Amino acid sequence: MPFPRTREGRDHRDHHQAPSEEEVLEKWDWNCPETRRLLEDAFFRDEDYIRQGSEECQKFWIFFERLQRFQNLKTSRKEDKDPGHPKHSIPALANLPSAYDPRYRINLSVLGPDTWSSRGIGRRLPMERMSEFRRAMLHYLDFGQKQAFGRLAKLQRERAALPIAQYGNRILQMLKDHQVVVVAGDTGCGKSTQVPQYLLAAGFSHVACTQPRRIACISLAKRVGFESLSQYGSQVGYQIRFESTRSAATKIVFLTVGLLLRQIQREPTLPQYEVLIVDEVHERHLHNDFLLGVLRRLLPKRPDLKVILMSATINISLFSSYFGNAPVVQVPGRLFPITVVYQPQEVEPTTSKSEKLDPQPFLRVLEAIDNKYPPEERGDVLVFLSGMAEISTVLEAAQTYASHTQRWVVLPLHSALSVADQDKVFDVPPPGVRKCILSTNIAETSVTIDGIRFVVDSGKVKEMSYDPQAKLQRLQEFWISQASAEQRKGRAGRTGPGVCFRLYAESDYDAFAPYPVPEIQRVALDALVLQMKSMSVGDPRTFPFIEPPPPASLETAILYLRDQGALDNSEALTPIGSLLAQLPVDVVIGKMLILGSMFSLAEPVLTIAAALSVQSPFTRSAQSSPECMAARRPLESDQGDPFTLFNVFNTWVQVKSERSRNTRKWCRSRGIEEHRLYEMANLRRQFKELLEDHGLLAGGQAVKPGDSYSRLQQRRERRALYQLKRQHEESRGRRRKVLQLQEDPGGCSSDEDQAGPASQGADDGVDIQDVKFKLRHNLEQLQAAASSAQALTRDQMALLKLVLGRGLYPQLAIPDPFNSGRKDSDQIFHTQAKQGTVLHPTCVFASSPEVLYTPEQETRGSERTRDVKDKMSSQHQLLTFVSLLETNKPYLVNCVRIPALQSLLLFSQSLDTNGDCSRLVADGWLELQLADSESAVRLLAASLRLRAQWESTLDWQLARKAQQRPEEEEEEQDLLASCKEMAALSRELLQFMASKVPYSLRRLTGLEAQNLYVGPQTITAAPRLPSLFGSSTLSPHPTKGGYSVTDFLTYNCLTSDTDLYSDCLRTFWTCPHCGLHMPLTPLERITHENACPEAPQDGPAGTEEDAPEPLQKVSALQRPFHCEACQKDFLFTPTEVLRHRKQHV
Amino acid sequence: MASESERRPLGVFECQLCALTAPYSYVGQKPPDTQSVVLLEESYIMKDPFTSDKGRFLVLGSRCSLCSRLVCVGPECSLFYSKRFCLPCVQKNISAFPQEIRQDLEKRKAPPKRPSSQPGYRT
């Protein structure tokens, strides 16, 4: 092979150059920008390896300067010429270059401009300099190659050094012979990152790997993508609720367990995968346990499907035996020795039973570390605390200590932080400073931080527990299990020998439970049961769970779903139930969405449902800042918290759509976590798509034509946004940043600002969240929805509350009758199962409780001074709430006030009456005493009719959606008919809600509730008068006594001293519709009214005009407009305003 | 993300000395997607996995011009001096190489004072 001639190697010059070359060489200055630009123009064009203006180009010049300095050094001590070698006998060696030159060691060559277009440049740049430059480029490229190859080799070395590397072949081998393999290994053994790659290498191309957490999906996909060298390709992807990087080329996908279950729901045999890795099975999450059960049933049907269960070395035999003694590959972890120091807290807080945690023991550990270990010995601290409140307590104290010593950077870590804030724990502290991370149990398994040398373990964890009786969630503090304690300890020994400080006694440790309680045994199972039903896995009671849930929880869940109408009496899924099963939200919120879209309130309900499905956006710290609270006030709605959230979201969208305004700032000044609002926007969009998919919402509005200019404008804006996003992603490729010592220890901890100046330098203050938001959402549409929301009419508002009330039923609370005499913060409420619940401090009714007080009925003459308890009024209110959460007190979360009588009549599962219907008991715990039996009967009759109508409309609509779309015309007609029907129903509901009847409301005492019913009667003489009963036949109620009128209404079953025979008491009555005049019992009146042939079907005639207008489709330009001339409010575009004004001229 | 015209890997490159493996997508002297760089040996090439730039490539290795073993470009396995030589071949024929290379190898054999992976032109 001839010696390859490098093109830049020829140094004989072409001498038809300008004569001034010597001069040019003399004056040559590499640093002159003009020179550099000329060279860049020539060598760094768009099609070249290095492009002008790129980051690469900057790097090159830095490299170039360094190379120059180095070569100057070298030339100054230039050695004498190599004597030259004798020609070698082997031909390959024979024609090695005779004189050594470093460039012979470079295996590439750059095509310079001389090959294509030298003339112009050649005149300005002397050849010698050109070749010098080209040589530098060569070295630069070679350097880049060596660097990249070095990284590649290092990566492979590290992978090979992982403990699991020894077991890769064994796992693959076992997978050949067995359908299920358990891989058990402790953190750090590399199982989560390596096993998927072994599968890839073995040729599998449809691999799913489930993770319990979304964060893990993203970070694993990135890591595995990187290690398997397809980081920027797409073989490795992830899929989580709002994001997916999956494509046709994806071979491994990391996804959440919930998402995989939904895939199984769609395709029960999971045909798209060959191998399924279920990671972190030992964590025993609800979904994971369920998935295992589903898989156990699926395996016989999919003999070709392979399953790998991955677990820490905890309770492995449980998993193995559940899958027919599946083989176990146990991988030793890679841990350095860890010293355990027990430091029990001497003085238990017995005297001061303050709820606050004492940060002192934690500070003492920091102090001890400062005293014992010199600062140059690196090693960070990880503190495990039970919850966010504890973290902020210790954070405050530790930051004071840190600012004092200047040797610590203290960082919180919990799931409520934004991703950016969570990422900070991976940054490195400056030399001589240690990082102290205060974490919940999130750092126990899911987040792994390098460089931890000390672990401080409080021994506590806060977990949700569920009380099925009270339907109450409790966030309680528990001792951790031994398994968790070991896991926490292990975090200290990942990078070197470590120390674990346990702030409890060894005897405490011995008393810990061996394993944590599986989630399935401590949470509400409503959603799980619903999902099981929709996946047709049979009776949940007999489902082969790996460890079954408590039967009581299952029964409560089934009962609850029946109450909610998701299951029928035979426990089969109802149409609404099957729809609910597909919405990834709480049943109550799902119901709201469905109901809302039927009443043409989809837009506001979407927002509210999304707002109720994310954590509260209100930051805790703002609670103590009067400015924040004052800034928030205009957003508050005295209707209830969901409406406040609704206002917050809408206003935020408005602020966003005003170009120049910065929502980050807007949020901060109001104590709002903007991250939550982004989540709401994402959820809202997902809900909308779901409703559209299920035909509950008309699909995406036709794209507004717009003029070509604005379209062009839009496209340009989008392109600019994409560009920003790309730049951001490139510049930020997770480079570890150096943390700064905090200057103000008291500052809010989670503020984006703190990282601001340091981390955002490159971004030029670009709010990447904002950019992503604008790319993902149609801001114009959102803004239109938001501005229409501000123009909600009273009627729409009332309907919206009705929808919420029905969705949230039976989550009701009654204000304590003596609340008006209590302090604002001491308002008490009672639910059916729980007495003495309180409002969350952020609740609007906690700051203005007076809106719940019942005004005294305008003097009804006689008894003004009745007992407060039996106050007569037409305005009693109840609270309906989203959840009941017990921490140190039982809190009602997200409350809305609703009119009591009307809501109970419309929603109650059980309504019992006395003989003349003046006394009603709803759901066996709330008693309503109406002043006037006449109006009681009238209301009751109306509610019966409305409920029936509502129910049938709902069923009909759902059934219609369930069918495949009918022909176009039919659909048009259907749509028109259903619109009319809904309008009529809404109108009547509104009338019903507006009815004013004085009554008293109270909660029955326990004793009263027990002795509520007369019980089965011996004389079961059903009232006669068959002609008046219509089709419904009355039967005596078997347990309560009285008669069942509908499945919820039982007539005359309430005990009382007077009305034992009242069902026989007839009084003369005239039917307002048909004029029938005869003596009837109240019951007979109701049944007549329901069956009266003359009764209007669609409510009283003549009220068509004031039908609640459906939410108009609002153009983005419309604004509320109040016309002074005609004193009316409109929603007008500017041109409409002009047109309207002309009318008055 | 933009549409990805991903090049399917042709096969897996494996160094016959150190067993380093990596998928390669091109073999030859003209790396695809770039016009201005040519290689001076028949090389096994992959897209540079450490950058999102499509045009970047990474040379994994090539055949030793003496024994035709497939070797990676890592300094423990081979060197390039106008052509590729695997280190065993260099050792065998050390006299054929200039002094600079001999010195280099000596240095490499001695226990590395610094992480020897630091390539480039620093002292």
Side-chain angles (χ1 to χ4, degrees):
Chain A
M1 214 204 276
F3 168 54
R5 301 206 297 187
T6 57
R7 280 168 179 76
E8 49 72 53
R10 280 172 286 186
D11 40 3
H12 23 257
R13 279 171 230 148
D14 301 320
H15 271 288
H16 45 265
Q17 282 295 324
S20 57
E21 195 172 317
E22 244 76 302
E23 293 165 31
V24 178
L25 279 175
E26 284 290 303
K27 285 192 284 182
W28 189 259
D29 178 12
W30 285 110
N31 291 324
C32 164
E34 172 68 5
T35 313
R36 287 194 174 190
R37 203 184 51 74
L38 276 175
L39 286 162
E40 287 178 11
D41 281 346
F43 288 90
F44 299 167
R45 299 160 316 157
D46 277 352
E47 65 271 29
D48 283 330
Y49 206 69
I50 300 172
R51 271 179 294 273
Q52 198 163 14
S54 65
E55 207 180 328
E56 194 76 28
C57 178
Q58 288 169 19
K59 278 196 213 154
F60 169 80
W61 284 114
I62 296 171
F63 176 87
F64 182 83
E65 285 160 23
R66 206 182 287 162
L67 183 68
Q68 291 271 309
R69 281 199 298 277
F70 176 70
Q71 280 178 338
N72 286 342
L73 275 177
K74 199 123 194 218
T75 41
S76 60
R77 48 179 169 86
K78 180 107 182 163
E79 293 161 37
D80 43 359
K81 247 196 156 186
D82 199 300
H85 298 277
K87 288 279 178 201
H88 208 280
S89 56
I90 305 169
L93 293 169
N95 51 8
L96 288 180
S98 53
Y100 178 82
D101 187 302
R103 73 165 183 267
Y104 297 139
R105 302 195 61 172
I106 296 173
N107 62 345
L108 38 76
S109 161
V110 175
L111 302 180
D114 59 350
T115 21
W116 351 274
S117 65
S118 61
R119 258 165 251 139
I121 307 140
R123 212 162 299 145
R124 319 260 292 279
L125 298 173
M127 263 322 190
E128 197 171 312
R129 292 309 185 194
M130 289 257 279
S131 62
E132 200 174 330
F133 179 80
R134 208 178 296 164
R135 182 183 291 225
M137 250 175 90
L138 264 190
H139 282 303
Y140 177 75
L141 292 181
D142 186 53
F143 172 68
Q145 285 291 319
K146 288 206 164 99
Q147 219 178 19
F149 187 84
R151 284 179 81 183
L152 183 78
K154 181 167 169 246
L155 203 64
Q156 301 230 333
R157 274 199 307 277
E158 282 170 356
R159 283 188 61 196
L162 284 169
I164 193 141
Q166 317 290 325
Y167 297 83
N169 285 332
R170 199 140 121 221
I171 293 168
L172 290 171
Q173 193 55 46
M174 279 193 176
L175 210 55
K176 269 196 193 126
D177 308 331
H178 299 88
Q179 206 174 355
V180 181
V181 175
V182 180
V183 176
D186 284 317
T187 9
C189 79
K191 58 184 187 308
S192 302
T193 52
Q194 302 306 302
V195 173
Q197 296 185 63
Y198 300 155
L199 294 171
L200 257 194
F204 291 102
S205 53
H206 300 279
V207 181
C209 181
T210 69
Q211 293 295 324
R213 278 160 293 264
R214 278 184 265 166
I215 312 179
C217 292
I218 301 175
S219 60
L220 276 173
K222 274 191 190 147
R223 181 69 204 170
V224 171
F226 177 67
E227 284 189 10
S228 65
L229 308 178
S230 68
Q231 187 186 17
Y232 296 100
S234 49
Q235 287 185 23
V236 183
Y238 66 87
Q239 207 175 356
I240 57 174
R241 192 149 74 165
F242 300 119
E243 278 177 75
S244 171
T245 60
R246 199 174 174 171
S247 72
T250 306
K251 291 183 174 176
I252 315 175
V253 62
F254 289 89
L255 74 180
T256 53
V257 185
L259 216 59
L260 182 75
L261 281 171
R262 297 213 170 266
Q263 291 179 356
I264 299 179
Q265 202 167 337
R266 276 197 298 275
E267 294 182 291
T269 59
L270 222 45
Q272 73 257 52
Y273 301 120
E274 308 170 84
V275 189
L276 208 59
I277 304 173
V278 186
D279 203 354
E280 318 279 15
V281 284
H282 64 277
E283 288 187 22
R284 304 299 307 278
H285 289 283
L286 181 64
H287 285 320
N288 242 341
D289 274 13
F290 176 49
L291 175 64
L292 293 184
V294 172
L295 289 179
R296 198 166 88 151
R297 285 198 169 169
L298 171 62
L299 289 176
K301 287 182 233 160
R302 276 283 315 270
D304 57 321
L305 180 71
K306 303 286 185 186
V307 173
I308 299 177
L309 304 180
M310 300 211 287
S311 152
T313 46
I314 297 174
N315 218 352
I316 307 161
S317 57
L318 177 72
F319 302 106
S320 165
S321 60
Y322 184 63
F323 285 97
N325 292 319
V328 177
V329 179
Q330 191 153 357
V331 184
R334 186 176 50 181
L335 276 188
F336 294 92
I338 299 162
T339 321
V340 177
V341 183
Y342 286 97
Q343 286 190 347
Q345 287 170 257
E346 302 84 16
V347 260
E348 278 293 303
T350 40
T351 41
S352 64
K353 217 196 158 304
S354 68
E355 305 292 342
K356 253 194 163 179
L357 174 87
D358 178 16
Q360 280 313 311
F362 298 91
L363 294 190
R364 274 199 287 275
V365 174
L366 298 192
E367 230 171 337
I369 292 170
D370 279 340
N371 292 335
K372 191 164 174 191
Y373 303 92
E376 13 346 307
E377 267 182 38
R378 294 216 86 143
D380 299 325
V381 176
L382 177 60
V383 183
F384 285 101
L385 291 157
S386 59
M388 282 195 262
E390 288 69 21
I391 288 178
S392 52
T393 306
V394 178
L395 183 70
E396 208 175 298
Q399 274 179 342
T400 315
Y401 178 73
S403 65
H404 196 71
T405 58
Q406 296 285 306
R407 279 166 73 175
W408 294 90
V409 174
V410 193
L411 299 167
L413 175 63
H414 50 77
S415 56
L417 290 178
S418 66
V419 178
D421 281 336
Q422 287 185 359
D423 271 352
K424 272 188 227 162
V425 302
F426 300 110
D427 293 341
V428 287
V433 173
R434 290 180 205 281
K435 193 161 67 165
C436 172
I437 296 159
L438 308 173
S439 173
T440 57
N441 59 348
I442 189 175
E444 218 172 88
T445 49
S446 40
V447 179
T448 298
I449 306 151
D450 281 332
I452 298 294
R453 182 173 170 195
F454 309 98
V455 163
V456 185
D457 180 10
S458 66
K460 300 284 178 61
V461 67
K462 257 190 204 158
E463 265 177 354
M464 268 319 173
S465 66
Y466 179 63
D467 178 346
Q469 259 69 50
K471 279 209 75 77
L472 165 95
Q473 291 196 308
R474 259 191 208 110
L475 189 65
Q476 273 177 311
E477 204 176 64
F478 298 100
W479 283 113
I480 55 173
S481 65
Q482 291 180 352
S484 300
E486 287 308 293
Q487 198 75 42
R488 290 180 176 190
K489 180 183 99 180
R491 295 278 144 170
R494 290 173 51 80
T495 31
V499 186
C500 175
F501 299 90
R502 287 179 168 163
L503 302 186
Y504 44 87
E506 193 162 7
S507 56
D508 291 330
Y509 175 84
D510 294 334
F512 288 173
Y515 309 114
V517 182
E519 196 180 5
I520 200 167
Q521 297 183 357
R522 54 181 170 81
V523 298
L525 302 178
D526 312 336
L528 179 68
V529 170
L530 191 62
Q531 190 166 27
M532 294 179 80
K533 285 288 176 187
S534 76
M535 288 169 72
S536 330
V537 294
D539 188 349
R541 296 175 189 88
T542 57
F543 185 80
F545 283 110
I546 186 161
E547 281 175 314
S553 305
L554 272 182
E555 294 304 329
T556 319
I558 292 168
L559 195 68
Y560 175 76
L561 291 172
R562 268 170 55 183
D563 284 351
Q564 293 284 351
L567 298 179
D568 62 19
N569 285 332
S570 61
E571 293 178 16
L573 218 54
T574 60
I576 202 169
S578 57
L579 195 49
L580 285 172
Q582 293 174 59
L583 300 174
V585 284
D586 267 11
V587 173
V588 285
I589 289 168
K591 263 172 72 188
M592 256 181 234
L593 282 171
I594 295 173
L595 293 170
S597 50
M598 294 196 158
F599 283 105
S600 321
L601 291 167
E603 294 292 339
V605 166
L606 281 169
T607 307
I608 291 178
L612 296 180
S613 308
V614 305
Q615 288 180 33
S616 168
F618 298 121
T619 57
R620 196 183 269 275
S621 51
Q623 221 52 46
S624 53
S625 145
E627 299 90 62
C628 274
M629 295 310 282
R632 250 187 226 173
R633 193 127 307 136
L635 299 170
E636 278 177 6
S637 162
D638 72 357
Q639 298 294 329
D641 309 314
F643 294 97
T644 302
L645 294 172
F646 182 60
N647 291 343
V648 168
F649 183 82
N650 288 328
T651 316
W652 176 71
V653 168
Q654 298 285 21
V655 173
K656 261 208 181 311
S657 57
E658 290 163 37
R659 257 150 225 282
S660 53
R661 286 182 67 185
N662 178 337
T663 50
R664 218 194 289 182
K665 221 155 121 196
W666 183 86
C667 285
R668 205 177 304 129
S669 61
R670 282 158 186 78
I672 292 169
E673 188 81 63
E674 188 168 30
H675 184 61
R676 304 276 165 252
L677 300 180
Y678 286 117
E679 285 181 341
M680 277 184 215
N682 288 340
L683 254 188
R684 188 183 189 282
R685 180 181 148 141
Q686 194 194 18
F687 290 167
K688 192 170 184 182
E689 285 166 0
L690 277 166
L691 291 182
E692 283 169 3
D693 284 352
H694 292 92
L696 284 166
L697 202 63
Q701 287 134 317
V703 185
K704 271 179 250 148
D707 54 307
S708 60
Y709 173 73
S710 68
R711 254 177 305 163
L712 193 73
Q713 187 77 14
Q714 268 179 3
R715 225 174 304 145
R716 203 171 290 150
E717 276 169 25
R718 276 190 92 69
R719 212 175 314 135
L721 287 171
Y722 269 119
Q723 177 98 23
L724 272 174
K725 185 176 168 216
R726 207 165 317 126
Q727 277 173 5
H728 177 86
E729 275 161 5
E730 275 168 19
S731 70
R732 251 183 96 103
R734 192 64 225 153
R735 233 166 262 159
R736 288 197 181 175
K737 283 166 253 163
V738 175
L739 291 160
Q740 288 184 318
L741 279 172
Q742 273 117 337
E743 271 113 41
D744 60 324
C748 323
S749 53
S750 65
D751 237 348
E752 297 237 314
D753 276 353
Q754 292 198 348
S759 68
Q760 278 162 6
D763 309 347
D764 295 327
V766 169
D767 183 352
I768 190 65
Q769 291 296 337
D770 183 68
V771 171
K772 283 185 181 166
F773 172 86
K774 284 179 177 153
L775 278 173
R776 185 174 293 164
H777 302 281
N778 183 337
L779 186 57
E780 211 174 306
Q781 250 178 39
L782 269 177
Q783 197 245 337
S787 62
S788 76
Q790 286 169 341
L792 276 186
T793 63
R794 264 173 93 103
D795 282 353
Q796 286 172 327
M797 192 66 175
L799 270 181
L800 200 53
K801 277 172 74 174
L802 205 60
V803 164
L804 256 73
R806 174 146 181 198
L808 294 173
Y809 175 86
Q811 290 163 188
L812 291 175
I814 178 173
D816 187 87
F818 300 106
N819 270 354
S820 53
R822 292 191 172 96
K823 273 199 305 184
D824 281 8
S825 51
D826 293 346
Q827 306 285 307
I828 294 177
F829 300 82
H830 311 287
T831 72
Q832 186 170 12
K834 187 89 189 169
Q835 291 197 48
T837 62
V838 295
L839 297 173
H840 200 265
T842 56
C843 178
V844 61
F845 303 121
S847 47
S848 33
E850 61 286 350
V851 296
L852 290 176
Y853 299 155
T854 313
E856 189 79 38
Q857 188 66 23
E858 304 76 45
T859 11
R860 294 209 74 226
S862 51
E863 315 163 77
R864 248 232 83 163
T865 48
R866 261 180 125 174
D867 197 344
V868 257
K869 280 164 121 183
D870 300 325
K871 195 154 64 173
M872 285 300 229
S873 166
S874 60
Q875 293 170 51
H876 288 288
Q877 297 182 89
L878 293 172
L879 283 188
T880 176
F881 55 89
V882 176
S883 55
L884 180 55
L885 174 71
E886 186 168 309
T887 51
N888 48 358
K889 285 181 202 158
Y891 287 105
L892 298 177
V893 183
N894 285 326
C895 304
V896 181
R897 61 187 168 103
I898 54 172
L901 173 68
Q902 295 88 333
S903 305
L904 290 174
L905 285 176
L906 285 178
F907 306 146
S908 295
Q909 284 296 315
S910 135
L911 266 180
D912 305 309
T913 77
N914 65 353
D916 66 356
C917 299
S918 64
R919 185 170 164 238
L920 300 167
V921 172
D923 292 317
W925 73 291
L926 289 174
E927 185 197 66
L928 302 143
Q929 190 92 49
L930 283 80
D932 159 29
S933 141
E934 196 68 21
S935 42
V937 171
R938 189 166 40 77
L939 277 177
L940 198 57
S943 74
L944 285 187
R945 196 163 41 80
L946 284 172
R947 284 174 74 142
Q949 216 173 314
W950 192 342
E951 220 49 55
S952 71
T953 319
L954 194 63
D955 282 351
W956 183 77
Q957 293 230 10
L958 286 173
R960 199 176 64 89
K961 310 298 180 201
Q963 289 163 7
Q964 276 309 311
R965 314 230 143 162
E967 298 295 294
E968 286 272 318
E969 304 155 38
E970 225 176 296
E971 195 176 12
E972 279 285 291
Q973 278 198 334
D974 266 17
L975 215 65
L976 217 68
S978 80
C979 273
K980 254 192 162 155
E981 202 168 329
M982 286 314 292
L985 178 60
S986 331
R987 199 162 53 236
E988 286 193 63
L989 282 170
L990 285 172
Q991 273 175 6
F992 180 78
M993 295 309 277
S995 50
K996 281 198 169 27
V997 175
Y999 62 98
S1000 70
L1001 170 72
R1002 73 188 183 96
R1003 172 179 202 277
L1004 294 175
T1005 64
L1007 201 64
E1008 282 173 318
Q1010 270 173 31
N1011 303 307
L1012 200 54
Y1013 303 115
V1014 289
Q1017 300 293 293
T1018 40
I1019 329 136
T1020 52
R1024 289 162 296 111
L1025 288 172
S1027 64
L1028 296 183
F1029 279 102
S1031 54
S1032 62
T1033 45
L1034 295 190
S1035 55
H1037 194 281
T1039 53
K1040 293 178 177 175
Y1043 304 98
S1044 323
V1045 181
T1046 66
D1047 55 350
F1048 59 89
L1049 179 64
T1050 312
Y1051 168 70
N1052 201 16
C1053 60
L1054 297 176
T1055 49
S1056 84
D1057 7 302
T1058 53
D1059 54 7
L1060 194 56
Y1061 295 101
S1062 56
D1063 62 333
C1064 312
L1065 293 179
R1066 300 201 165 90
T1067 47
F1068 270 97
W1069 175 75
T1070 313
C1071 173
H1073 307 305
C1074 68
L1076 174 90
H1077 181 73
M1078 60 191 301
L1080 295 175
T1081 66
L1083 176 66
E1084 287 162 353
R1085 271 185 242 159
I1086 300 174
T1087 46
H1088 171 79
E1089 273 205 286
N1090 270 335
C1092 179
E1094 304 282 305
Q1097 290 309 302
D1098 290 325
T1103 48
E1104 301 285 321
E1105 288 77 22
D1106 40 67
E1109 62 277 38
L1111 273 185
Q1112 309 107 311
K1113 293 223 168 83
V1114 181
S1115 119
L1117 292 172
Q1118 286 182 338
R1119 294 275 184 279
F1121 167 70
H1122 179 79
C1123 175
E1124 295 292 335
C1126 62
Q1127 287 296 322
K1128 280 187 183 162
D1129 289 298
F1130 302 96
L1131 206 57
F1132 275 160
T1133 62
T1135 44
E1136 283 169 335
V1137 171
L1138 289 178
R1139 207 177 302 146
H1140 181 86
R1141 282 206 182 120
K1142 265 194 198 139
Q1143 290 180 352
H1144 297 300
V1145 180
Chain B
M1 280 244 170
S3 69
E4 259 166 276
S5 60
E6 208 158 296
R7 266 190 313 285
R8 306 210 136 260
L10 292 175
V12 174
F13 170 88
E14 180 169 356
C15 172
Q16 291 178 342
L17 290 174
C18 72
L20 173 132
T21 57
Y24 65 90
S25 52
Y26 172 81
V27 185
Q29 291 186 275
K30 270 211 62 63
D33 289 328
T34 167
Q35 298 175 2
S36 52
V37 179
V38 290
L39 297 167
L40 306 178
E41 55 179 342
E42 286 275 313
S43 310
Y44 287 73
I45 286 168
M46 75 185 297
K47 196 197 118 1
D48 184 347
F50 305 109
T51 156
S52 59
D53 191 333
K54 248 176 48 156
R56 304 270 134 173
F57 60 86
L58 172 59
V59 177
L60 294 167
S62 59
R63 292 198 178 274
C64 169
S65 52
L66 286 174
C67 68
S68 330
R69 249 193 293 219
L70 195 55
V71 286
C72 73
V73 297
E76 324 289 328
C77 294
S78 71
L79 62 79
F80 186 85
Y81 186 64
S82 86
K83 14 182 156 359
R84 179 70 51 189
F85 298 99
C86 73
L87 284 203
C89 285
V90 178
Q91 298 293 2
K92 254 183 270 164
N93 305 287
I94 192 75
S95 59
F97 290 90
Q99 200 195 347
E100 286 82 354
I101 288 185
R102 276 180 267 159
Q103 278 172 351
D104 248 27
L105 288 181
E106 287 300 312
K107 253 191 263 167
R108 202 171 288 286
K109 254 189 251 163
K113 276 175 264 161
R114 324 182 111 216
S116 62
S117 61
Q118 194 74 276
Y121 298 87
R122 300 167 59 178
T123 31

